[in-house]
Amino acid sequence: MRTPVVAGNWKMNGSRDSIGELLAGLKSQLESMTLEAEVLLCPPAIYIPQVLEAVAGTGLGVGGQNAAAQENGAFTGETSPSFLADFGCSHVILGHSERRQIFHETDSLIAEKFILAQAQNLTPILCVGETQQEREADETFNVVSRQLLAVIDAAGVNALGNAIVAYEPVWAIGTGLTATPEQAQDVHAAIRQLVAERDQSLADQLRILYGGSVKASNAQTLFSCKDIDGGLIGGASLDAEDFAAICQAANK
Ligand code: PEP
């Protein structure tokens, strides 16, 4: 039995005031709920201390949205994975499609980041997913396999024992388009199969999240698919009521 995970990716949004309000709203919504999911919040790096302080004792986890591929040194503007760990983050999102597309992060760079993050005892949330063009060219599984194998080849399959995979079709991120439960389930099953070919018990335990325009209204149908173990939520994680409803939709 895999514990579901719901992670909120706040992206580059918020201010001290708006984050304070969001956290207060979220805490009051979640207080009255019985949740089965592990819930994580991934704020912009500079707001991590504010979020950590506010969620202390609530059971909510905090993660980074990205981390450097180096530990320390002359890398102006970067956030070391050791900084995230030092402040008390438990997770870090790596390989988000915005990092791959806008910041030109490659599969091999993401694999390096993955290894360094794990060395700091952070659990990577490794994002994989195809573009619209790749889906239309029937390349979905080739792309997702390539992205996943880059990490497996560099870190070893056992490294997935302390990782979460997020399948995020690029065409569904922030667009309002959601993969159908069948489309999502097919890719999730293929990801699990790829891992099972290397280690069956690891594959059985691996949490694979779906991300791409998940809302309170479609979360339950997606999360009830056999190989979908929760979600990585962008836009809807900025609304306390919507995000809490999505967390509740992960109850089996
Ligand atoms: C994301 O940024 O990871 C994401 C899934 O965004 P959205 O939910 O807004 O599509």
Side-chain angles (χ1 to χ4, degrees):
M1 178 68 175
R2 298 181 292 267
T3 304
V5 179
V6 178
N9 173 15
W10 295 357
K11 311 198 189 198
M12 198 173 73
N13 291 298
S15 63
R16 276 197 290 192
D17 286 350
S18 73
I19 285 175
E21 279 170 34
L22 177 56
L23 289 166
L26 205 50
K27 285 201 283 186
S28 86
Q29 291 281 330
L30 296 180
E31 238 169 35
S32 56
M33 293 180 176
T34 306
L35 295 181
E36 290 173 24
E38 205 177 314
V39 178
L40 305 170
L41 305 176
C42 302
I46 197 163
Y47 294 111
I48 284 172
Q50 182 186 353
V51 176
L52 278 163
E53 193 183 322
V55 303
T58 64
L60 296 173
V62 178
Q65 297 176 8
N66 180 34
Q70 300 84 10
E71 277 301 344
N72 292 107
F75 301 101
T76 302
E78 288 290 86
T79 301
S80 168
S82 68
F83 301 166
L84 297 177
D86 191 20
F87 270 83
C89 286
S90 51
H91 292 70
V92 61
I93 298 171
L94 294 176
H96 190 279
S97 65
E98 287 150 19
R99 300 297 318 171
R100 292 180 190 265
Q101 296 203 313
I102 305 170
F103 300 98
H104 311 294
E105 293 195 4
T106 60
D107 290 338
S108 60
L109 179 79
I110 293 159
E112 284 174 41
K113 292 183 174 200
F114 184 102
I115 291 169
L116 272 184
Q118 283 195 334
Q120 291 297 329
N121 290 322
L122 296 167
T123 301
I125 301 174
L126 174 68
C127 300
V128 296
E130 82 289 0
T131 62
Q132 177 80 52
Q133 211 182 5
E134 289 162 340
R135 175 161 281 269
E136 282 164 8
D138 220 7
E139 286 292 319
T140 298
F141 192 59
N142 287 343
V143 171
V144 167
S145 303
R146 190 202 71 225
Q147 293 169 335
L148 203 55
L149 286 173
V151 169
I152 293 177
D153 290 346
V157 72
N158 286 341
L160 292 180
N162 175 32
I164 294 170
V165 173
Y167 168 57
E168 299 208 307
V170 180
W171 48 272
I173 297 179
T175 58
L177 296 173
T178 312
T180 64
E182 294 73 26
Q183 285 173 322
Q185 167 58 28
D186 278 356
V187 181
H188 282 236
I191 291 172
R192 201 176 301 289
Q193 180 57 28
L194 183 146
V195 178
E197 282 159 15
R198 288 152 181 85
D199 188 322
Q200 182 67 55
S201 78
L202 226 148
D204 292 341
Q205 288 159 41
L206 179 67
R207 272 98 55 92
I208 308 174
L209 315 185
Y210 170 77
S213 298
V214 176
K215 306 183 242 339
S217 56
N218 61 18
Q220 197 162 19
T221 322
L222 285 159
F223 296 169
S224 62
C225 295
K226 182 170 165 279
D227 289 294
I228 300 185
D229 306 308
L232 179 55
I233 319 299
S237 70
L238 295 169
D239 182 288
E241 214 174 307
D242 287 351
F243 187 64
I246 292 169
C247 294
Q248 197 163 42
N251 285 358
K252 292 285 175 199

